Amino acid sequence: MNRHDQLEAQRESVLSQMRLIRSMKRGTLSIRPEKVRRKGRKEPVLLGPYPLFVRREGGRTVGRRLRSPEEVAQVREDIAAYNRFMGLCKQYVQAAEELGELERAQAEAGAVKKGLWSRSSKARKSRG
């Protein structure tokens, strides 16, 4: 199998892996305590820690508190799937870049070979 076929196979493999990802989320999961004001106290009290899903939306950081362990597990899986997807995107870009360079190099090599000899019969006779 030559390099061109290997790169094509790698691209197809990456695309098929991307198709298997059904759900993903951009963002992070953090475990943070929450400051709460208590009646009759001047200073807020730290409660928790609580799981928080945080991401950027429209130039703002948005956080959402997760209520159940199942929800935390799902968010973890979705974030891992997003990170996997981004890794696959990088692999795809690398394979496509290398494939493009390889195809251009082959085209240039073919063009150089064709241009070495003149097609006129006078030029061929004068060389010989």
Side-chain angles (χ1 to χ4, degrees):
M1 180 181 266
N2 63 17
R3 185 67 183 145
H4 185 273
D5 293 340
Q6 287 174 342
L7 290 170
E8 283 291 344
Q10 182 181 354
R11 280 181 0 140
E12 288 304 316
S13 171
V14 167
L15 288 174
S16 66
Q17 290 176 55
M18 284 178 172
R19 282 187 211 106
L20 294 176
I21 297 172
R22 303 299 296 168
S23 173
M24 67 175 116
K25 287 187 186 293
R26 292 175 294 112
T28 59
L29 179 65
S30 62
I31 309 296
R32 296 184 184 169
E34 191 173 303
K35 289 182 181 181
V36 178
R37 288 212 172 259
R38 292 288 178 158
K39 203 174 196 182
R41 294 196 181 197
K42 286 185 178 182
E43 297 298 318
V45 178
L46 290 178
L47 297 178
Y50 298 106
L52 188 67
F53 173 63
V54 182
R55 68 190 234 171
R56 299 280 296 172
E57 288 182 6
R60 296 180 52 198
T61 302
V62 178
R64 183 172 62 96
R65 188 169 155 191
L66 305 176
R67 305 269 179 218
S68 68
E70 295 81 20
E71 197 175 7
V72 172
Q74 182 63 50
V75 167
R76 273 198 178 111
E77 288 176 21
D78 288 350
I79 291 171
Y82 174 76
N83 292 332
R84 172 115 176 95
F85 179 80
M86 293 308 293
L88 290 168
C89 286
K90 287 178 184 177
Q91 287 179 21
Y92 186 86
V93 167
Q94 288 173 340
E97 284 177 347
E98 194 173 335
L99 187 61
E101 289 172 11
L102 183 66
E103 288 175 350
R104 279 188 291 283
Q106 288 174 348
E108 287 174 8
V112 170
K113 287 179 183 177
K114 289 179 183 177
L116 285 178
W117 302 104
S118 172
R119 291 195 173 116
S120 76
S121 60
K122 291 179 185 178
R124 272 186 258 137
K125 288 179 184 177
S126 67
R127 279 189 229 159

